[in-house]
């Protein structure tokens, strides 16, 4: 079903969530795909009532070493912090999502949502992969893309304005 909604990823995801009565929500980027058994694994994870939210391991569609390293860092960061990025196909139980007020209406809505969710329940990392198309990172340059991502994380952690609007432009 095609929906139209407000501008911005957070408001758009909240809009879509408000148009379904599903018990579990899956927020999945259009340039990504899930492993064939990912949804079965998700259904099994949700059999555990303690599992409130989570995502999948990440990798890029290209197998070049730089992108593989970025994905390795991405997955390592998740194991250490529990923070889930949007490109990990975040899943969340509806009641938990609603109790958190959904996604905020600003940049890095996935990080802000993760922070709020982690204050109430641990994230669950499923074994299946979500594979993100490498095109944007290749066009930007893998190292430049990684530098932008690290810059955004550092600024976010220090609660400073992101200031990397140019980085987000291809994603909007």
């Amino acid at each position: 079903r095609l929906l139209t909604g407000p501008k911005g990823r957070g408001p758009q995801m909240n809009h879509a969530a408000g148009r379904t009565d599903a018990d579990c929500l899956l927020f999945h980027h259009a340039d990504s795909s899930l492993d064939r058994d990912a949804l079965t694994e998700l259904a099994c994870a949700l059999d555990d009532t303690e599992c409130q939210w989570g995502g999948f391991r990440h990798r890029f569609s290209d197998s070049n070493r730089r992108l593989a390293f970025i994905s390795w860092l991405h997955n390592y960061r998740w194991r250490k912090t529990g923070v889930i990025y949007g490109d990990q196909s975040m899943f969340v139980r509806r009641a938990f999502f609603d109790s958190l007020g959904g996604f905020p209406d600003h940049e890095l809505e996935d990080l802000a949502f993760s922070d709020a969710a982690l204050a109430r329940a641990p994230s669950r990392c499923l074994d299946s992969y979500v594979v993100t198309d490498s095109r944007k990172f290749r066009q930007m340059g893998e190292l430049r893309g990684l530098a932008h991502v690290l810059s955004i994380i550092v600024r976010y952690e220090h609660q400073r304005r992101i200031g990397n609007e140019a980085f987000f432009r291809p994603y909007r």
Side-chain angles (χ1 to χ4, degrees), residues 75-169:
N75 294 322
Y76 178 79
R77 174 214 30 91
W78 186 12
R79 285 191 306 272
K80 294 301 180 188
T81 68
V83 171
I84 297 173
Y85 290 176
D87 59 2
Q88 291 175 273
S89 294
M90 183 184 293
F91 64 86
V92 59
R93 290 183 189 272
R94 167 173 292 289
F96 189 69
F97 180 81
D98 290 344
S99 74
L100 293 171
F103 288 101
D105 181 15
H106 58 73
E107 296 171 336
L108 303 180
E109 70 290 331
D110 49 357
L111 291 176
F113 183 87
S114 284
D115 284 345
L118 282 169
R120 305 224 350 242
S123 62
R124 176 81 56 99
C125 177
L126 301 183
D127 290 332
S128 294
Y129 281 91
V130 58
V131 181
T132 299
D133 190 300
S134 304
R135 176 181 40 89
K136 290 176 188 167
F137 262 81
R138 282 194 328 265
Q139 288 172 346
M140 178 185 314
E142 294 95 348
L143 295 179
R144 183 172 168 227
L146 176 60
H148 276 288
V149 170
L150 293 175
S151 169
I152 289 166
I153 292 168
V154 167
R155 291 174 188 204
Y156 177 81
E157 290 300 323
H158 294 324
Q159 298 178 343
R160 298 222 166 94
R161 177 144 170 73
I162 300 305
N164 279 323
E165 288 78 11
F167 177 80
F168 290 106
R169 201 167 294 123

Side-chain angles (χ1 to χ4, degrees), residues 7-51:
K7 188 175 182 177
R9 284 198 314 202
Q12 288 172 353
M13 291 187 292
N14 291 336
H15 180 74
R19 299 306 178 273
T20 180
D21 59 359
D23 292 333
C24 179
L25 306 169
L26 177 64
F27 298 98
H28 180 76
H29 286 188
D31 67 347
S32 297
S33 60
L34 286 169
D35 281 348
R36 185 171 53 193
D37 297 330
L39 296 181
T40 301
E41 184 181 6
L42 173 56
C44 290
L46 292 173
D47 284 343
D48 177 1
T49 58
E50 297 296 312
C51 179

